Amino acid sequence: MNKVILLGRLTADPELRQTPNNISVTSFTVAVNRPFTKGAERQADFIDCVAWRNSAEFVSRYFTKGKPILVEGRLQVRSYEDKQGNKRRAYEVVCDNVSFVEGTRPDGPSGTYAAPAAPAAPAPAADTGVAYSNGDVGDFQEVDGYDDLPF
C-alpha cells in the first residue's frame, strides 16, 4: 500500500500551470515538523508535492505561503538525467486529496472554524405501512445459506 498523509505549511505560493494538453498542474513544497523532543531544536522536512486537474486549481486558488495544508496521496519516484548527464531521482507526493486545516471565517475568532449546528431531528414520516423498531431482532428473519458464505 502506498499512502501518504501530510500536515504542514506551504513554503511558497503555488503556481498553476497547464500541460500542452490543457491539464492543470501545480507543484508545491510542504514543510512538515518532525516529532519534537524536549530540549532539542525543532526540525522540519520539506516534501515536494504535485497536484493535478481540479486539485491543482483548488490549491493554487485557496492556498498561499505559510498556510497550513492537509495532503493525502501517494509517493512517486521519478528518474531523470540532469544537465551534466548524471542520473537523478525525484521523490514527490502525488495528491489525491487536499484539504484546509483551519477555517478563515472573518466572524470567527482568530481563524478557527466552528462546525455547523447539528440538523434538527427529522419530522416523523407519514405512515407507509413499513415499521422500524430499535433493538428488536424479532423484526428480522434468518436467511438460509448465510453460514456457507466464504467470509
Side-chain angles (χ1 to χ4, degrees):
M1 177 186 281
N2 184 352
K3 179 86 170 173
V4 175
I5 301 173
L6 302 174
L7 176 62
R9 293 185 180 272
L10 288 178
T11 62
D13 291 345
E15 292 183 29
L16 186 64
R17 299 182 317 258
Q18 301 291 325
T19 66
N21 294 332
N22 275 342
I23 297 173
S24 299
V25 61
T26 188
S27 297
F28 55 95
T29 302
V30 178
V32 179
N33 289 335
R34 289 185 182 171
F36 181 71
T37 56
K38 191 173 183 175
E41 186 176 321
R42 287 199 183 266
Q43 295 180 328
D45 292 303
F46 297 87
I47 302 171
D48 293 329
C49 300
V50 62
W52 294 88
R53 296 178 174 80
N54 291 339
S55 293
E57 293 173 15
F58 175 74
V59 170
S60 66
R61 183 175 300 134
Y62 295 109
F63 291 90
T64 57
K65 179 181 179 178
K67 287 272 191 181
I69 189 169
L70 177 66
V71 173
E72 296 178 64
R74 64 190 188 287
L75 185 63
Q76 176 176 284
V77 181
R78 292 184 292 117
S79 297
Y80 66 96
E81 271 189 33
D82 65 14
K83 292 178 182 178
Q84 291 78 30
N86 299 318
K87 291 185 179 183
R88 301 281 185 182
R89 284 185 158 179
Y91 298 84
E92 60 193 2
V93 174
V94 178
C95 302
D96 294 325
N97 294 305
V98 180
S99 303
F100 294 110
V101 175
E102 61 185 31
T104 56
R105 292 176 43 158
D107 59 342
S110 67
T112 59
Y113 175 75
D127 186 15
T128 60
V130 177
Y132 300 95
S133 64
N134 293 330
D136 184 5
V137 294
D139 290 345
F140 299 96
Q141 73 182 56
E142 189 171 331
V143 176
D144 292 333
Y146 182 75
D147 293 331
D148 299 333
L149 294 175
F151 53 87

